[in-house]
Amino acid sequence: MKRKNRELYTYIIGGKYRGKKIALPSKEVTRSSKSRLKESVFNTLQFDLMGKNFIEMFGGSGSVGLEALSRGAEKAWFIEKDDDAFKTLRSNCIGIDASRCDLRKGDAFEIVPEILGEMRVEGEKTFLYIDPPFSIREGKSDIYERVLALIEKIDPDLIHSIIVEHMTKVEFPYKIGSFEKRKEKKFGKSSLSYYYPV
């Protein structure tokens, strides 16, 4: 992540749009996934992404979903609640490929079920990336409980896999609803847990 004239930004790190700049919202508003963590995600998913759908639940800059598009995903959905972050997200999508981006503004816990409902009608499935604000943030102490409750209600027939980025000190369970954890990787304060339909 670079700082230039107070502008925060990162880059697409692989695929079709490698090297393209991604603006980042204010750190007070959102937290960007680190490059090595993103690289690990896409090394794990690799060719499984080709032609598939991808949802970034807490969109922020959209850097993870845009990376998915660069690596071959067909379409990406981004959900972001904050006004400033949403403006940055929209600008980033326009700069990469707006035609394959679906932006939704509002509460991610309400919007994810809506998107999955649309996919059910279309007979489609998706990857779901969940990177909630750390639970130490003010007003976010119950964020992981809400994430677990959401996953429990998701129809496994609509999902390729669910990837949760969370605080390393928070242990995510082996099984959540109809999903089980098949992989976990730690990156200092952040960890990735990968869930697949049972």
Side-chain angles (χ1 to χ4, degrees):
M1 185 168 58
K2 310 287 185 182
R3 182 183 291 273
K4 183 179 180 182
N5 299 329
R6 295 186 177 179
E7 177 192 12
L8 295 169
Y9 59 91
T10 186
Y11 296 95
I12 298 287
I13 54 180
K16 181 179 179 180
Y17 305 114
R18 182 178 181 178
K20 283 260 195 177
K21 186 187 286 190
I22 300 292
L24 299 174
S26 162
K27 277 188 173 181
E28 286 75 40
V29 171
T30 184
R31 175 179 51 84
S32 175
S33 297
K34 299 287 189 292
S35 289
R36 69 189 182 110
L37 189 147
K38 275 196 296 185
E39 186 68 50
S40 179
V41 168
F42 292 101
N43 283 344
T44 296
L45 300 182
Q46 289 192 358
F47 303 113
D48 294 340
L49 267 177
M50 298 299 293
K52 304 296 196 319
N53 295 315
F54 192 96
I55 299 172
E56 186 174 1
M57 186 170 165
F58 297 91
S61 67
S63 67
V64 178
L66 291 171
E67 188 78 35
L69 290 178
S70 185
R71 307 270 186 143
E74 179 66 26
K75 186 175 179 180
W77 282 256
F78 303 87
I79 308 166
E80 177 54 53
K81 192 173 186 178
D82 180 82
D83 289 340
D84 290 336
F86 191 82
K87 289 175 186 175
T88 301
L89 171 61
R90 181 191 293 133
S91 177
N92 287 336
C93 288
I94 290 170
I96 300 296
D97 187 350
S99 68
R100 293 195 291 150
C101 299
D102 187 324
L103 281 63
R104 308 286 176 102
K105 188 173 185 300
D107 187 329
F109 291 102
E110 296 175 1
I111 294 175
V112 163
E114 292 175 6
I115 296 172
L116 293 177
E118 294 167 17
M119 288 189 178
R120 183 190 304 281
V121 172
E122 298 296 326
E124 297 180 346
K125 299 172 74 170
T126 189
F127 288 89
L128 175 59
Y129 191 85
I130 304 176
D131 175 19
F134 275 2
S135 59
I136 54 176
R137 286 262 300 271
E138 184 179 348
K140 303 296 181 184
S141 60
D142 66 342
I143 194 77
Y144 291 134
E145 286 82 359
R146 296 185 71 194
V147 167
L148 293 174
L150 174 75
I151 295 174
E152 281 181 358
K153 295 175 184 175
I154 292 177
D155 182 346
D157 291 339
L158 301 174
I159 296 292
H160 295 297
S161 72
I162 298 173
I163 306 101
V164 184
E165 182 179 337
H166 57 90
M167 294 171 68
T168 296
K169 67 180 184 180
V170 176
E171 182 69 27
F172 263 61
Y174 170 72
K175 198 167 187 298
I176 310 174
S178 300
F179 301 89
E180 65 181 22
K181 182 163 60 174
R182 295 188 189 165
K183 182 175 182 177
E184 183 176 18
K185 292 203 72 174
K186 298 180 179 180
F187 303 84
K189 293 180 180 178
S190 296
S191 288
L192 292 168
S193 291
Y194 293 79
Y195 288 89
Y196 292 83
V198 177

